[in-house]
Amino acid sequence: MLDEERVRADTPGCMSGSVFLDSAGSSLPPRVVLDTAIDHLRREAEIGGYRAANERLNDLAAVKTAIGRLINATPASIALSDSATRSWADFFYSIPLAAGDRILVSEADYASNAIAALQRARATGATVEKIPSDGTGQIDLDALSKLVDERVKLVSVLHAPTNGGLVNPAAEATRIAHSVGALVLLDACQSTGQLPIDVAELDVDALSTTGRKWLRGPRGTGFLYVRPELAASIEPSRLDLHSASWVGADDYRLAPDASRFEFWECDVAGRLGLGAAVQYLLDLGPENVYDAISARAEYLRKALPEIPGVTVRDIGIRHSGIVSFTVDGVEGIAVRDQLAAQDITVTVSHASSTLLDMTGRGLSSVVRASPHCFVSFEELDRFVAAVAQL
C-alpha cells in the first residue's frame, strides 16, 4: 500500500492548502526532485557547468537506468530530450516517407502529432488517415485491421489522450500494424507515471513521454524509447557531435544506440531532476502509485455525475487518471477560473488540442481534473463541493 502521509510530506505543494488537480498538465514535484535540480544549479554557479556535469556523469547515466527499470528497457534504447513533443518529432521526422505512403493517426491524437504528420505529408506526397474509434471511443481494432496495408509506413497511437480518461489498446493496435510491416510510435505523454508501461509487452517501435506530468519531474525534460534494433539502424533527421562523430573530412559515424537522438547541449539539472523523479516513483512502488491515482480518478467519476448539470465526458473501456467533465451553462474557462478563486487547480482542454475527437463528439472544451497520489480524498471532496456550487 502507498504511504500517503509520506507522499504528502514529501510534496512541498501539499503544504499550501490548495487542491491540485492538474498532474496531466504539470504536476507537483516531490522535494527530492526540487533539491536535486536546485543543488546542481548551485554547483554550476560555484564551479561552472562543464565541471559540475563531469562530477555527475555516473548520476546522469543512472537516469537512463532508472527509466529502463520503469518501462522494462535497456538504458541504451533510451534518449533523453527536453519534452515529449521533441521525442515524438525526432523519431517521426526520421522515418523515410515518399509519395503514396500512408500515415495513420489515432482519432484522439494530439495536435502537435497531427500537425507534424500533415506537414510531412505535404512535403512528401504521403497521406494522413484517421483510425476510426469503436462504439466505446477507443481505437476500433477491426477497422484498423481492414485499414492497414503495405503502404502504411507509420501508425501513431495515442496511449492516453490529453482530453479525458480514455486508454487505447496499444499492444493490440501494434500487433495489427506490425502485421503489414508498419512502424508504431506510441505517444505515452499522459500514461507514463500513472499506468504500467512495459515496452516489451507493448512491442512498440518507439515511445515518447515527458517528465513534467505524471512522473513529477521538471519541465523541459522527457525521453524517447527506440526499439534496440531500430535504434541502431535508423538515422535521425538532425545530428550533432554527440549523436555522431566526425571521423573524416567528408564522413561521420552515428552513435551506436538511441543516443543518436540526443544533442550534446542539455539541461543537466533538469535531467538529474528527472532521474530523481523516476527513482522516487520506483522507491514508492509504481503499482502502488498507479492504484492510488486510479482510485482517486474513479472517486471523481462517481461523485461528479451526482451533481445536477455536470456530465463526465470520459470515453473508452479502460480509464486513466484524467477525469474530464462539463458544467451546463458554464464555459470551461469560467469553471477553471471560479475554482482557481477557491485555490483549486484544474485546467481546460480545448477542441484545438484533439480536433478529431472533440469535433466528432460536438465538444468545444472540457474541464480536466487529474489527481495524483498526493491528493487526499478530503481535497477531492472540497473540489466536488466547489463544482456543485457553480
Side-chain angles (χ1 to χ4, degrees), residues 40 90 170 305 352:
H40 187 75
D90 282 350
S352 57

Side-chain angles (χ1 to χ4, degrees), residues 91-99 101-103 120 124 126 151-154 183 230 233-237:
F91 182 83
F92 175 71
Y93 280 90
S94 301
I95 303 303
L97 291 174
D101 289 342
R102 301 170 65 203
I103 306 164
R120 290 209 69 200
T124 63
R151 293 174 297 145
V152 177
K153 301 304 178 184
L154 184 130
L183 297 176
L230 195 57
S233 62
I234 190 172
E235 180 159 341
S237 59

